[in-house]
Amino acid sequence: MGDDRRRFLKVAGVTLLAVGGAPVLTTLAQDKSSGHGNATAGAKRFAMVIDLKRCEQEQGCTLCSEACHREHNVPDFGNPKDEVKWIWKETYEHAFPSEEYSYAPERVAGPMPVMCNHCDHPPCVRVCPTKATWKRDDGIVMMDWHRCIGCRYCMVACPYSSRSFNWRNPRPFIKQLNADFPTRTKGVVEKCTMCEERLSDGLAPACVAACKAKAMTFGNLADPNSEVRKLLRDGYALRRNPGLGTLPQIYYLV
Amino acid sequence: MHDSGKILAGLVVFGALVTFPVWYHAAWGGPLVKPRLPADLAEKECIAPTAYMREHHMELLNSWRAQVVRDGHRSWTGENGRQWRASLTKTCLRCHANKADFCDTCHSSAGVKPVCFDCHVDPKGKN
Amino acid sequence: MFEKVFSGSPRYWTWILGLACVIGIGFYFYLRQLEYGLGVTGLSRDVTWGFYIAQLTFLVGVAASAVMVVLPYYLHDYKAFGKLAVLGEFLAVAAVTMCLLFVMVDIGQPFRALNMFLHPTPNSILFWDAFVLNGYLVLNALITRVTLVAERKNESPPKWIKPIIYLSIPWAVSIHTVTAFLYCGLGARPFWMTAILAPRFLASAFASGPSLLILIMLIARKLTRFDPGKEAINKLAQITTYAMITNLFFIALEMFTAFYSNIPEHMIHFQYMFFGVDGKSALVPWMWTSVLAALGSLVILLNPRARQSYQLLATACVLVFSSIWIDKGMGMVVTGFVPSPLGKVNEYMPTLPEVMISLAIYAIGLLMVTVFYKIALSVRGEVEAPAAVVAQEEPAR
């Protein structure tokens, strides 16, 4: 028994080291930017810049979310428990809880549109056990509603509460059915896909197209001459909770 | 050895039960309804020959699903080189516009319940 | 061996029938959940995991705690646990089965569950959790079967099972570590973002599991002729005591870090648990019950003479078990979601269907424990005293 025990402890120790060490080594070995910058270096990196001053001009406007939800057959259950939403308006203190200070609302009152941030290091993608959500080469965090098993781990991992779950069949709660886009079934998670279906037809995302104040700009960050890059050059932008290292790609001009 | 009667009877009952769908359908299933297409179609050809589509439409739709959703490729080339948009609602349903007259005829008599229309919208139907 | 299950006293059959009823009722509610969707639960957009996942977390601990009898017996040749080892492993089999059932009832598309293995995703901790839980189930099912068969034949277990038993020891630690990793690697949830979560899980596991085992042993002692022996029970009580103290120590460490650092997003969850936030305080009475039960249990457990009394020990075990059930289940899981990352306070309480479905899963676990223990004790009866088989199967009183 004594010998057995010693041998066991040796093997167990080596195994533990290997198992515990592997993830650390692979993370260190990966070519990731260490800071809070931008990790993608592809030909395309879709992003959005939202000009808060322009958005504020239209107090109480909900055109962006209406357009999005109509386009994507997002149901309206009329109660917060079952709620499904892709883009909605949030006050400054909820959109930027860690940046909050008493006088901030004097400068940026909001409410401002919030949605999926299409992060460069999306935690939702990291935790999904079936690859039902993943990051495309152009930076869009995409979802496959056929694949999702409804474990809701992505919702637990998302620091922006950008994801919704279909707690029940959404069909009866869609006011106007858009036949060109699917609905979802009960038991799957959904969220903003940056209108990848419209982009492939050469159209701007529905929210951008619907914005009366022209507060939302969509574009390719990898192109230095793009409109989004110009806006970021000329103004100063915030991102939501950048300290988590998720590298969100929705920029808020203040 | 003394129970051969019981065993045989049991086998007969078992056989009758497992073949239930076959003889039930033969006796009370009614005539097979052929899928129907609307008479005046602008499109003259399907994306693939009828025989192939009859057997493999589900696999084709699955591969379209994968290429569109997962790879973002929206076009699909047929055998004769013609380009199609890989889309159930925007390509297939343009001709096969009536789900009840087309999809449901075979699926109902075969007892198959595809989940496609849990999410995808049948433009003519109620769901 | 399995035929032992079908003979028993009226009391045995009443118990089985009662469990079957609870399972049946739960199954009815599960069919309703399948039909309507997870909207039958109290879960919402902000609180996406609740009672089901809380039970999963708690029961992984019960499953892992089998190591507290397996390790002393097989590695240290601690003879007093000889009668207990296989019972501990059986408890693990039942607990890990319940865990897997709780995962199944929690997912929105259960018919797609196999996607987890059809599209294996090593970067997801949930994938690893499913892997280690299933692995642990297979290991323990194999070990119990082989050792019990050997015991019936009055032989020592075959040599090849030894390495498998040794493997089950670190594997037990792994199931709870991986379960902690489900939570503690998420930037979105500061309440769980603590490296001590896995050790804390293990400490609470090694208190809750052995306390449950003691309770089962004491009940078996009353209803059957089976007696694990005073020494074994005392040792289990000792293990429970040390583990409970360690568990409370770890919780205190978490509180120090949260409150001394004065970082709002770390403090606010503890405030929600114990005092409520924005007037919302659904968990407060539960959490204080947990604290009082923990302190009460220590009063008994820290006193070696009190521990000797089976009655006091049973009380202490009930207190330990319920304290950890509240704290590690609803307390740990639900508090992570309140407030939400956007600072919104939306509360959660389980609904009737949720509770009934959970009760049914617990009933399945109890049924498994009953059946396994019946088999094991019957086999023991044959081994130790062939003439006493009938007497052993009948209740002692």
Side-chain angles (χ1 to χ4, degrees), chain A residues 90 94 127 131 148 153 186, chain C residues 109 112 120 124 182 342 344:
Chain A
E90 208 60 85
H94 292 304
V127 302
K131 305 189 186 81
C148 174
Y153 200 3
K186 68 171 177 242
Chain C
Q109 288 282 339
R112 297 184 190 167
S124 171
L182 278 180
L342 305 194
K344 304 214 167 161

Side-chain angles (χ1 to χ4, degrees), chain A residues 131 134 142-144 146-147 171 177 179-185 196-197 200-201, chain B residues 65 68-72 74 85 89-90 116-123 126-127:
Chain A
K131 305 189 186 81
W134 69 96
M142 184 59 183
M143 270 209 77
D144 183 349
H146 310 94
R147 175 81 65 90
R171 273 279 170 104
L177 211 51
D180 286 339
F181 198 82
T183 69
R184 266 68 60 197
T185 177
E196 63 89 31
E197 82 287 354
S200 77
D201 284 347
Chain B
R65 171 177 90 186
V68 172
V69 178
R70 303 201 69 89
D71 306 329
R74 284 185 155 72
R85 186 184 177 120
T89 42
K90 287 174 192 154
C116 310
F117 292 97
D118 285 2
C119 297
H120 292 275
V121 182
D122 166 19
K126 279 181 215 80
N127 55 345

Side-chain angles (χ1 to χ4, degrees), chain C residues 81-203:
Chain C
F81 279 175
K83 281 179 163 181
L84 276 184
V86 80
L87 301 184
E89 288 157 352
F90 270 141
L91 185 59
V93 171
V96 85
T97 307
M98 288 190 267
C99 292
L100 293 170
L101 287 173
F102 273 114
V103 174
M104 280 307 286
V105 298
D106 187 70
I107 60 180
Q109 288 282 339
F111 298 109
R112 297 184 190 167
L114 279 183
N115 278 0
M116 261 207 258
F117 298 101
L118 293 174
H119 310 284
T121 313
N123 50 273
S124 171
I125 300 294
L126 197 55
F127 163 78
W128 288 107
D129 209 36
F131 174 73
V132 292
L133 285 178
N134 279 298
Y136 193 63
L137 180 61
V138 171
L139 281 181
N140 278 291
L142 185 72
I143 293 167
T144 45
R145 161 106 197 145
V146 169
T147 48
L148 210 56
V149 167
E151 201 172 322
R152 188 174 61 162
K153 293 185 189 149
N154 231 341
E155 292 166 353
S156 53
K159 268 225 169 79
W160 59 265
I161 197 75
K162 268 276 174 68
I164 295 176
I165 293 173
Y166 293 156
L167 176 65
S168 82
I169 293 170
W171 202 289
V173 178
S174 87
I175 62 169
H176 222 14
T177 306
V178 172
T179 305
F181 284 179
L182 278 180
Y183 299 102
C184 70
L186 306 174
R189 310 286 168 186
F191 182 60
W192 301 331
M193 266 287 279
T194 161
I196 210 170
L197 202 66
R200 198 183 132 189
F201 272 16
L202 285 164

Side-chain angles (χ1 to χ4, degrees), chain C residues 248-371:
Chain C
L248 295 176
F249 175 60
F250 285 171
I251 295 176
L253 293 184
E254 294 231 54
M255 297 232 201
F256 169 81
T257 308
F259 286 101
Y260 192 79
S261 69
N262 203 33
I263 296 174
E265 59 182 28
H266 286 275
M267 289 190 292
I268 193 146
H269 295 284
F270 285 101
Q271 278 161 0
Y272 171 70
M273 271 207 292
F274 290 107
F275 306 104
V277 170
D278 290 354
K280 307 216 170 144
S281 52
L283 282 183
V284 171
W286 290 95
M287 291 317 297
W288 285 107
T289 308
S290 170
V291 170
L292 290 179
L295 295 178
S297 75
L298 282 192
V299 170
I300 302 172
L301 289 175
L302 281 176
N303 184 344
R305 216 170 308 148
R307 260 191 344 237
Q308 301 287 323
S309 146
Y310 280 169
Q311 214 139 31
L312 281 176
L313 179 61
T315 314
C317 287
V318 170
L319 290 174
V320 166
F321 190 82
S322 25
S323 169
I324 293 175
W325 183 78
I326 295 170
D327 168 56
K328 189 177 184 176
M330 287 282 284
M332 207 289 301
V333 174
V334 174
T335 306
F337 295 97
V338 191
S340 78
L342 305 194
K344 304 214 167 161
V345 187
N346 285 316
E347 295 198 282
Y348 160 83
M349 264 295 141
T351 58
L352 177 75
E354 232 172 331
V355 173
M356 295 316 288
I357 293 170
S358 304
L359 276 179
I361 296 178
Y362 271 102
I364 292 173
L366 280 176
L367 186 66
M368 290 176 75
V369 168
T370 310
V371 164

Side-chain angles (χ1 to χ4, degrees), chain A residues 76-88:
Chain A
D76 179 8
F77 290 98
N79 72 67
K81 185 180 166 303
D82 293 325
E83 187 176 35
V84 174
K85 52 191 177 186
W86 284 24
I87 173 172
W88 70 99

Side-chain angles (χ1 to χ4, degrees), chain C residues 49-68:
Chain C
W49 283 353
F51 203 61
Y52 296 147
I53 297 296
Q55 305 316 310
L56 161 79
T57 311
F58 175 75
L59 288 169
V60 171
V62 173
S65 71
V67 78
M68 285 291 107

Side-chain angles (χ1 to χ4, degrees), chain A residues 1 5 81 90 94 126-127 129 131 145 147-153 156 161 164 167-168 186 240, chain C residues 34-36 39 41 44-45 48-49 74-75 106 108-109 112 115 120-121 123-124 182 189 342 344:
Chain A
M1 264 304 174
R5 184 158 70 238
K81 185 180 166 303
E90 208 60 85
H94 292 304
R126 197 180 310 141
V127 302
K131 305 189 186 81
W145 296 307
R147 175 81 65 90
C148 174
I149 60 171
C151 70
R152 311 186 297 293
Y153 200 3
V156 179
S161 295
S164 305
W167 299 102
R168 49 193 293 202
K186 68 171 177 242
R240 297 175 64 199
Chain C
L34 270 185
E35 173 64 29
Y36 184 89
T41 66
S44 65
R45 204 175 178 283
T48 54
W49 283 353
Y74 286 106
L75 273 189
D106 187 70
Q109 288 282 339
R112 297 184 190 167
N115 278 0
T121 313
N123 50 273
S124 171
L182 278 180
R189 310 286 168 186
L342 305 194
K344 304 214 167 161

